[in-house]
Amino acid sequence: MKFAHLRVEGQTTPRLAVVIAEAALFLDEVLDPSPRDLQDLIEQGPDGLAAVRVAVDAALEAGARLTPVSELRHASAVLRPPHILAIGANYAAHSQELKLRHETAPTIFSLWPNSLTAHGATTSWPEELSTQVDYEAELGVIIGRPARGVHVRDALDYVWGYTVVNDITARNIQFSEAQWSRCKSFDGFTPTGPVVVTADEIADPQDLWLTTNLDGRILQDASTNEMVRSVAEIIAYLSRSATIPAGTLISTGSPGGAGYSRNPQVFLQDGSTVTITVEGIGSLTTHCRMV
């Protein structure tokens, strides 16, 4: 199943919907009580998802009204995650182009919740802070139940679903500070979506293609099988030291092709449009504004 947080024009509060062939079925119209958002649904566990499946099947059989997604506005595909964890230097090509090490322990940092934004939204940043704002196509992983001391062989059983992430980065700040959280946590620097796809829809998270299209130009084009550490290895590693709560979003790293490393360098500009696509999930578009 594919889930999204969507708004009807004029509404401020996003509603959780199932997306079916580019149309939306709002859960609050077919299920009572309805989960208020994806985090609520995840915390309900397998029974909650099973109830949604039954309600959606019954509604479709009864001819329920579907709303074209094109008539709605997206919110972030992930709302209220308990943590947003990011893995740096997880593709060898990206590590090499940024002159980062990936051979030893993984690079792990947190992203701030204010950075979350929607498919189709405009991300803006002050020109005085950075003119070196870069894109990073990433596979997002959403944890479905608390994970602690998980073995690699069992780690994918803890995944609730997957989404697309653009890990936008102010490179000048990244390379001037020891920690990476601030440079990647400006307002709107973590677009997610357009949907979250449940784990059963993705047979192998290491067999997905990622691309970045910036103003009509393909700048990243790679497979998740190029990860230094697989999704399962990342979950197992993180769970050794602390419990990963249900609903946690893990952004699993970006392949080569970053704008910072190109000659000449390519950065997001005022008026740029960048679209990140992950096979089997969808395409996440962000409009850019430098103020």
Side-chain angles (χ1 to χ4, degrees):
M1 300 182 81
K2 294 182 179 181
F3 291 88
H5 295 112
L6 298 165
R7 293 187 182 96
V8 175
E9 193 63 39
Q11 293 182 346
T12 58
T13 303
R15 297 157 63 192
L16 184 62
V18 173
V19 176
I20 304 165
E22 302 305 317
L25 178 64
F26 287 105
L27 291 187
D28 56 14
E29 295 180 355
V30 300
L31 188 62
D32 187 20
S34 170
R36 59 176 171 146
D37 58 19
L38 188 72
Q39 183 65 27
D40 193 14
L41 176 58
I42 292 171
E43 291 175 357
Q44 291 178 10
D47 290 345
L49 184 57
V52 167
R53 292 185 187 277
V54 170
V56 169
D57 287 345
L60 293 176
E61 187 174 343
R65 179 177 63 88
L66 301 179
T67 304
V69 173
S70 60
E71 297 179 5
L72 304 167
R73 293 186 299 122
H74 285 266
S76 176
V78 179
L79 294 174
R80 300 192 304 115
H83 299 307
I84 310 169
L85 303 176
I87 310 300
N90 198 35
Y91 288 73
H94 187 56
S95 302
Q96 292 163 5
E97 68 186 6
L98 295 184
K99 298 180 173 56
L100 302 171
R101 296 188 61 183
H102 66 269
E103 302 89 350
T104 55
T107 299
I108 303 164
F109 52 96
S110 296
L111 300 173
W112 302 345
N114 59 282
S115 69
L116 290 172
T117 194
H119 165 65
T122 296
T123 290
S124 62
W125 64 91
E127 183 176 8
E128 65 184 24
L129 288 183
S130 184
T131 58
Q132 297 184 351
V133 176
D134 210 346
Y135 51 82
E136 290 190 2
E138 306 205 7
L139 172 66
V141 177
I142 298 101
I143 297 300
R145 55 191 171 106
R148 178 72 170 93
V150 175
H151 194 282
V152 172
R153 66 173 175 267
D154 302 318
L156 293 184
D157 294 339
Y158 288 78
V159 176
W160 196 92
Y162 300 91
T163 192
V164 184
V165 176
N166 185 357
D167 180 27
I168 299 174
T169 307
R171 295 294 187 198
N172 60 309
I173 295 176
Q174 180 181 22
F175 293 115
S176 67
E177 298 180 353
Q179 298 293 329
W180 291 1
S181 290
R182 189 172 82 97
C183 70
K184 294 170 176 283
S185 293
F186 287 27
D187 291 345
F189 265 28
T190 312
T192 72
V195 298
V196 170
V197 177
T198 51
D200 60 301
E201 299 279 336
I202 303 295
D204 182 359
Q206 306 310 141
D207 188 27
L208 303 174
W209 206 261
L210 296 83
T211 61
T212 296
N213 184 318
L214 175 59
D215 295 329
R217 181 182 176 191
I218 300 295
L219 297 179
Q220 290 183 296
D221 193 19
S223 171
T224 54
N225 67 19
E226 299 173 32
M227 286 184 186
V228 175
R229 295 169 183 85
S230 68
V231 170
E233 290 169 333
I234 290 167
I235 294 169
Y237 185 87
L238 292 173
S239 74
R240 290 178 192 169
S241 53
T243 301
I244 311 173
T248 295
L249 171 63
I250 304 173
S251 198
T252 57
S254 183
Y260 181 87
S261 307
R262 292 182 171 272
N263 187 14
Q265 291 178 319
V266 178
F267 294 117
L268 303 179
Q269 304 291 328
D270 186 29
S272 290
T273 297
V274 58
T275 297
I276 308 295
T277 300
V278 178
E279 179 185 6
I281 302 174
S283 296
L284 167 68
T285 295
T286 302
H287 305 290
C288 303
R289 184 165 178 248
M290 189 158 46
V291 297

